[in-house]
Amino acid sequence: MASTLTAPSTVDDRVSSRSLGARLLSRPEVGSLVGAVVVLVFFLITAPPFRDLATTGTILYQAALIGMMAVPVALLMVGGEFDLSAGVAVTTAGLTGGLFSYQFSTNVWVGVLVALVVAVAVGAFNGWLLMRTGLPSFLVTLGTFFILQGLNLGVTRVLSGTVSSNSISDMDGFESAKAVFASEFKLGPINVKILIVWWIVFVAIATWVLLKTKVGNWVFAVGGDAAAARAVGVPVKRVKIGLFVTVGFFAWFSGMHLLFNQAVVQSGEGVGKEFIYIIAAVVGGCLLTGGYGSVVGSAIGALIFGMTQLGVVYAGWNADWFKAFLGVMLLLATIVNLVVKKRADLR
Amino acid sequence: MVRWQKKAVATGAALVLVTALGACSSSGGKQEEEKAAGAAGNVADTPRMKVAFITHAAPGDTFWDLVRKGAEAAAAKDNVELQYSGAPEGADQANLVQTAIDQKVDGIAVTLAKPDAMQANVKKAADGGIPVVALNGGIESWKQAGALGYFGQDERIAGQAAGAKLTEVGAKKAVCVIQEQGHVGLEARCQGVKDKFPNVEKLYITGTDMPGSQTTMTSKLQQDKSIDYVVTLGAPFALAAVKSVKDAGSAAKIGTFDTNKDLIGSIKSGGVQWAVDQQPYLQGYLAVDSLWLYKTNGNTIGGGQATLTGPAFIDKSNAEAVEKFSANGSR
């Protein structure tokens, strides 16, 4: 994508007039969409509860849990960076909100705001250190990952005397915060968790930003070739730091869901989730090298992961093989993704 | 750019401030509280000894918090300097035993959840004259490893107790939820349940992912409507199961292994029916105390037999009695 900035001879797919079909097929998410359909059909056949509308809510919720964080992670990957601290940052945000409101006996909304400051600060720190040192984001965020993991445990124990935050379910503002972050409603037979709605909203906003705004172009540019982007006047530093801050914001949002869903947060949570977010983004068509990908793709990736994770359970297969099934299904989805994408590129 | 960096520094400083602020405010109150709890009895005037306490705990698990509290209470009473450490991987934990040997500690308390990895180093310590006791895991292997005693429950027997309970209350089909795939002790619990209650299925969840655990349990309950009992193997998962049952519109009841503060509350309010209690506080306490008794008076608690700390049941009938202890984090 970024090559459009440096090599004007290639046709810019945003201005050329091509058929709708060709345009659709050249989108990064089209392969994963086919993969998702394959997974869906597979489980519709093998797992009877999959055909029940009531289970849709559960599957979408599982996907939203991953997909919410896959949104900023996909943006970040398009911008050419990684964030290994994204998983524990969610826990950090949740813990901060819970611990702060409990320890200082404030309205929980104060804790929510403090958590926002902390989560955004973690993102800003990642971005700032990255730009300051020029180290690969892999290393910088690996450091943050360990720091946060340790702080989560250490600070929680110092404050609450145990390894989970204190329950805040009986405190002022809990009900209203729960309504925002972790409520649910019925849509026919489907039990819809509010997180699903937020997820769709955020995917839409992020897609619009990425595809229709100047900032979106900048993200593609810095991910494709940072030096070239800088040469044409893109504020590379600000874009990259901004992307990490975005991860921080989403970590806050996901952390608040975690907090208000359970009322307590365990300090050991979130480890390993960072890879699942990256997997969702990659399955959804983001390149590991940056400069290419989509937010909608990350949502489809999350959906594939969620469907597979729960599909194995719905199918009632022997639980011992769970992880193996999961791996096979993900590989299949990704291979379908790859084949479709290659076909599309040939056109 | 500069303005941007300033902003970043400012937010960073805010972060530090918030953490520091938090740390300050609690250090007084909470520490006093713990001291008060520890100072309930007189402190022993026997020579100060150093005990290494090495578990296979994953960080952030409420269960191990209780074990540690028990160990600290005994250490405070017995004039023991306690070195608490843990590593989930067998090889790492074995290495911690080696570092304890290197430091020439006066005693080692160790969990043997992964006995094969631990055996060599534990034996080395015992042969080298450092008394070792095992706790929580390793009821089959502590004697071989040369430990003086064992404090914990037999996981299979605990599972059988839970299975018997299921039969007693007339359950029809149960699901046994394992939060860590490939954990010997957890598998033994579910196997024990199956011994006494054959119609049980296993379900794996990822223990470090609470909302994911919740949806996995929900989906299992949606898939098999005949499940009328969920058995979890840790307190936090029982609390997640309460939500899963509601989400799935199921009428399944919930029993669990192990407790924490919130779980006791849930038993009282009827969300969770019962918990198999292996008394983690007692495990930690006895492990340290036994080393002190051995050192000062040559005693071995259990007299060469395993000392069982469980399985006892906590249900609505006795939850209230446990609650006052769980409130200060020792049950």
Side-chain angles (χ1 to χ4, degrees):
Chain A
M1 286 277 173
S3 60
T4 52
L5 287 168
T6 49
S9 57
T10 38
V11 181
D12 189 334
D13 56 12
R14 284 166 303 180
V15 290
S16 68
S17 57
R18 291 186 299 158
S19 74
L20 183 69
R23 257 169 39 209
L24 273 181
L25 273 177
S26 68
R27 298 286 319 144
E29 59 268 16
V30 70
S32 58
L33 190 59
V34 176
V37 171
V38 170
V39 172
L40 179 64
V41 170
F42 178 79
F43 280 117
L44 279 176
I45 295 166
T46 53
F50 236 73
R51 291 168 228 154
D52 185 354
L53 258 183
T55 63
T56 312
T58 315
I59 296 165
L60 283 177
Y61 177 55
Q62 176 70 30
L65 286 167
I66 303 162
M68 196 57 145
M69 282 307 288
V71 169
V73 167
L75 288 174
L76 190 67
M77 283 179 75
V78 173
E81 304 293 345
F82 268 102
D83 192 346
L84 295 182
S85 67
V88 284
V90 172
T91 314
T92 304
L95 283 171
T96 309
L99 286 172
F100 190 92
S101 10
Y102 183 86
Q103 296 293 332
F104 296 98
S105 305
T106 63
N107 187 300
V108 296
W109 279 101
V110 179
V112 169
L113 289 180
V114 172
L116 175 62
V117 172
V118 170
V120 165
V122 168
F125 173 78
N126 272 332
W128 170 78
L129 195 64
L130 181 85
M131 296 327 300
R132 193 64 201 248
T133 58
L135 286 167
S137 53
F138 190 91
L139 284 176
V140 170
T141 58
L142 187 68
T144 325
F145 165 78
F146 284 123
I147 293 171
L148 290 181
Q149 211 186 332
L151 281 180
N152 283 354
L153 202 58
V155 173
T156 306
R157 188 188 289 281
V158 168
L159 287 178
S160 71
T162 117
V163 290
S164 66
S165 71
N166 313 78
S167 174
I168 57 164
S169 58
D170 51 357
M171 295 181 69
D172 291 348
F174 184 82
E175 289 307 318
S176 59
K178 191 184 168 87
V180 173
F181 294 108
S183 58
E184 56 189 60
F185 58 90
K186 281 267 182 193
L187 194 75
I190 305 172
N191 193 22
V192 183
K193 304 253 186 189
I194 196 85
L195 190 72
I196 300 169
V197 178
W198 284 120
W199 177 41
I200 294 166
V201 169
F202 282 126
V203 167
I205 294 172
T207 302
W208 176 77
V209 170
L210 193 61
L211 295 181
K212 298 283 177 198
T213 67
K214 190 168 70 179
V215 175
N217 275 340
W218 287 351
V219 172
F220 279 114
V222 298
D225 187 341
R230 190 174 288 118
V232 295
V234 174
V236 175
K237 227 182 220 185
R238 277 172 62 182
V239 170
K240 291 211 170 180
I241 293 176
L243 286 171
F244 277 103
V245 168
T246 311
V247 176
F249 172 82
F250 277 84
W252 167 73
F253 203 96
S254 303
M256 290 308 102
H257 173 73
L258 197 68
L259 176 62
F260 291 105
N261 189 40
Q262 308 273 356
V264 289
V265 180
Q266 301 222 52
S267 55
E269 275 185 57
V271 178
K273 294 283 299 239
E274 63 281 348
F275 283 112
I276 292 172
Y277 306 144
I278 293 171
I279 290 165
V282 172
V283 169
C286 287
L287 282 187
L288 286 159
T289 46
Y292 185 82
S294 87
V295 176
V296 174
S298 81
I300 299 170
L303 205 53
I304 291 178
F305 202 88
M307 282 195 293
T308 313
Q309 235 176 351
L310 297 188
V312 171
V313 181
Y314 282 132
W317 289 329
N318 183 344
D320 287 344
W321 301 88
F322 176 74
K323 289 273 165 69
F325 284 130
L326 187 64
V328 169
M329 288 308 295
L330 278 176
L331 267 183
L332 278 180
T334 334
I335 290 170
V336 171
N337 181 348
L338 191 77
V339 170
V340 172
K341 197 165 159 299
K342 273 200 175 147
R343 282 272 174 96
D345 287 348
L346 281 179
R347 295 218 175 175
Chain B
M1 285 312 148
V2 174
R3 205 169 50 124
W4 181 254
Q5 284 175 2
K6 267 188 188 157
K7 264 189 207 161
V9 169
T11 37
L15 166 71
V16 171
L17 192 71
V18 165
T19 359
L21 203 69
C24 281
S25 77
S26 107
S27 56
K30 299 278 167 189
Q31 277 176 1
E32 295 307 319
E33 208 174 89
E34 266 164 28
K35 266 184 212 147
N42 288 328
V43 175
D45 57 0
T46 47
R48 192 150 176 85
M49 63 185 278
K50 193 176 190 179
V51 168
F53 200 98
I54 304 164
T55 75
H56 64 278
D61 188 329
T62 48
F63 176 87
W64 291 98
D65 228 36
L66 297 174
V67 175
R68 184 174 180 171
K69 285 229 165 92
E72 279 168 354
K77 191 197 61 135
D78 294 342
N79 195 20
V80 164
E81 182 190 342
L82 191 74
Q83 274 188 351
Y84 184 95
S85 57
E89 295 285 326
D92 293 341
Q93 202 199 347
N95 237 343
L96 287 172
V97 174
Q98 181 59 51
T99 58
I101 297 172
D102 296 343
Q103 290 175 65
K104 303 192 171 58
V105 296
D106 301 303
I108 299 176
V110 68
T111 65
L112 297 175
K114 279 114 186 173
D116 298 330
M118 301 296 294
Q119 185 108 0
N121 279 6
V122 170
K123 211 161 167 33
K124 194 155 107 190
D127 292 347
I130 300 177
V132 180
V133 293
L135 69 145
N136 183 265
I139 194 159
E140 267 111 37
S141 45
W142 64 276
K143 273 187 189 167
Q144 261 173 295
L148 295 170
Y150 170 86
F151 311 98
Q153 70 179 354
D154 183 319
E155 301 291 11
R156 186 95 180 224
I157 290 175
Q160 287 168 351
K165 184 88 173 177
L166 291 177
T167 311
E168 178 196 321
V169 298
K172 298 203 171 49
K173 175 155 196 198
V175 59
C176 189
V177 185
I178 296 182
Q179 71 266 26
E180 196 183 329
Q181 198 161 11
H183 185 302
V184 182
L186 299 181
E187 294 284 348
R189 282 185 188 174
C190 282
Q191 198 52 49
V193 174
K194 207 179 173 73
D195 290 345
K196 297 282 173 184
F197 185 82
N199 199 10
V200 63
E201 238 182 90
K202 274 188 291 191
L203 177 71
Y204 290 103
I205 56 173
T206 307
T208 51
D209 175 11
M210 203 46 82
S213 301
Q214 191 186 323
T215 50
T216 308
M217 287 188 276
T218 306
S219 59
K220 185 67 200 176
L221 291 166
Q222 286 169 333
Q223 181 249 330
D224 191 342
K225 306 267 188 205
S226 66
I227 292 170
D228 63 351
Y229 236 103
V230 179
V231 179
T232 57
L233 306 186
F237 311 108
L239 294 167
V242 174
K243 291 186 188 298
S244 301
V245 166
K246 188 176 145 271
D247 281 351
S250 158
K253 295 194 161 134
I254 299 154
T256 186
F257 288 73
D258 300 339
T259 65
N260 65 19
K261 190 167 126 191
D262 294 323
L263 187 88
I264 304 291
S266 188
I267 288 178
K268 250 185 93 186
S269 64
V272 175
Q273 305 295 309
W274 44 263
V276 177
D277 184 17
Q278 60 170 313
Q279 307 195 80
Y281 183 88
L282 189 60
Q283 292 177 3
Y285 189 92
L286 287 180
V288 172
D289 209 29
S290 66
L291 286 167
W292 177 75
L293 280 167
Y294 181 78
K295 189 91 177 172
T296 54
N297 203 36
N299 293 127
T300 50
I301 297 182
Q305 302 298 315
T307 307
L308 297 188
T309 59
F313 278 94
I314 297 177
D315 56 20
K316 221 166 184 166
S317 67
N318 60 354
E320 198 135 355
V322 176
E323 195 184 25
K324 62 173 184 247
F325 301 114
S326 74
N328 61 27
S330 59
R331 276 301 289 272

